[in-house]
Amino acid sequence: SQQGEEDPQALSIQEGENATMNCSYKTSINNLQWYRQNSGRGLVHLILIRSNEREKHSGRLRVTLDTSKKSSSLLITASRAADTASYFCATEDNYGQNFVFGPGTRLSVLP
Amino acid sequence: NAGVTQTPKFQVLKTGQSMTLQCAQDMNHEYMSWYRQDPGMGLRLIHYSVGAGITDQGEVPNGYNVSRSTTEDFPLRLLSAAPSQTSVYFCASGRGWNTEAFFGQGTRLTVV
């Protein structure tokens, strides 16, 4: 059962611009994670934010979580061509035993 | 430190054939899982394990079997391959569902 849903499905920006992608989910969560997937590769963990946190930073990444709106956003500042990838949010499944991924946002950063 | 290793990277099967996708991790993680990734659908959970000797079904378990005889290994068996099982398969491990997961590089499977 799909919990998270990323928006937009695809995003194309110029190098140096900021990229923002959003994730909405349906039921209450304990934490939410963001992952990156380069073409043809496995997923790489970016950041985990817990339900009692509102904002978290990691380098050029900034994640926010609004549990009242059941949504999260991932901001990548000063994007680089190497940021071109698909980005997924992951939340708990209905049983709280596994995490469930959305369909992802495909980001293209043009040089 | 190899992390999560999947073999093979690519495989072509004929309908009805069986095969095993291998997954091994060297991080002593209790939690391991298998996902399949299809275009536009994100990753869907096939089976998971919370420790040696313990396995359970995920969202799309039909046509797949797993076992977990050791902490390190979590093979995925396709019993009788069907074209609908054409997909990219990812194995992941971690300390639990609420911590970060480490993914293998994937196995691209085509069933003809």
Side-chain angles (χ1 to χ4, degrees):
Chain A
S1 54
Q2 192 163 291
Q3 235 302 33
E5 186 93 16
E6 295 90 348
D7 171 64
Q9 289 185 351
L11 180 61
S12 189
I13 59 173
Q14 296 292 132
E15 213 166 18
E17 292 180 339
N18 295 344
T20 300
M21 50 207 91
N22 304 297
C23 171
S24 58
Y25 56 92
K26 299 190 179 90
T27 61
S28 61
I29 57 172
N30 289 311
N31 67 67
L32 183 145
Q33 304 185 46
W34 284 92
Y35 287 81
R36 183 188 74 231
Q37 183 182 34
N38 291 93
S39 181
R41 308 298 295 269
L43 278 72
V44 174
H45 182 264
L46 295 176
I47 203 160
L48 182 152
I49 186 165
R50 302 202 185 279
S51 60
N52 60 354
E53 297 174 309
R54 291 297 168 259
E55 190 170 307
K56 207 160 181 181
H57 296 254
S58 177
R60 292 183 297 111
L61 306 180
R62 173 178 163 247
V63 168
T64 62
L65 179 64
D66 187 336
T67 52
S68 66
K69 294 181 180 176
K70 292 189 172 57
S71 68
S72 173
S73 68
L74 170 66
L75 168 68
I76 304 173
T77 60
S79 62
R80 306 166 181 167
D83 294 327
T84 293
S86 291
Y87 292 81
F88 297 87
C89 68
T91 56
E92 304 141 46
D93 68 4
N94 293 337
Y95 304 101
Q97 291 181 321
N98 296 285
F99 39 90
V100 182
F101 291 85
T105 291
R106 200 168 55 254
L107 173 66
S108 297
V109 181
L110 307 174
Chain B
N1 198 350
V4 179
T5 304
Q6 286 184 240
T7 56
K9 287 188 170 54
F10 301 94
Q11 183 70 49
V12 178
L13 286 180
K14 292 183 180 177
T15 297
Q17 286 185 318
S18 62
M19 80 158 293
T20 299
L21 279 61
Q22 301 292 343
C23 176
Q25 53 94 6
D26 61 0
M27 296 172 281
N28 203 31
H29 288 159
E30 292 295 327
Y31 181 90
M32 295 186 75
S33 54
W34 276 101
Y35 291 85
R36 59 177 289 173
Q37 184 177 31
D38 301 295
M41 299 194 69
L43 281 77
R44 291 182 292 169
L45 182 67
I46 304 171
H47 285 285
Y48 67 99
S49 169
V50 299
I54 306 168
T55 63
D56 209 341
Q57 298 181 349
E59 182 185 356
V60 289
N62 291 342
Y64 308 95
N65 268 1
V66 291
S67 60
R68 185 96 180 269
S69 56
T70 66
T71 299
E72 295 77 21
D73 300 298
F74 191 43
L76 178 73
R77 295 184 191 83
L78 278 72
L79 308 171
S80 177
S84 60
Q85 293 178 304
T86 293
S87 188
V88 182
Y89 291 85
F90 288 99
C91 178
S93 76
R95 286 187 293 278
W97 63 267
N98 58 349
T99 61
E100 69 174 290
F102 295 81
F103 281 81
Q105 292 301 297
T107 295
R108 186 174 294 272
L109 175 69
T110 302
V111 182
V112 298

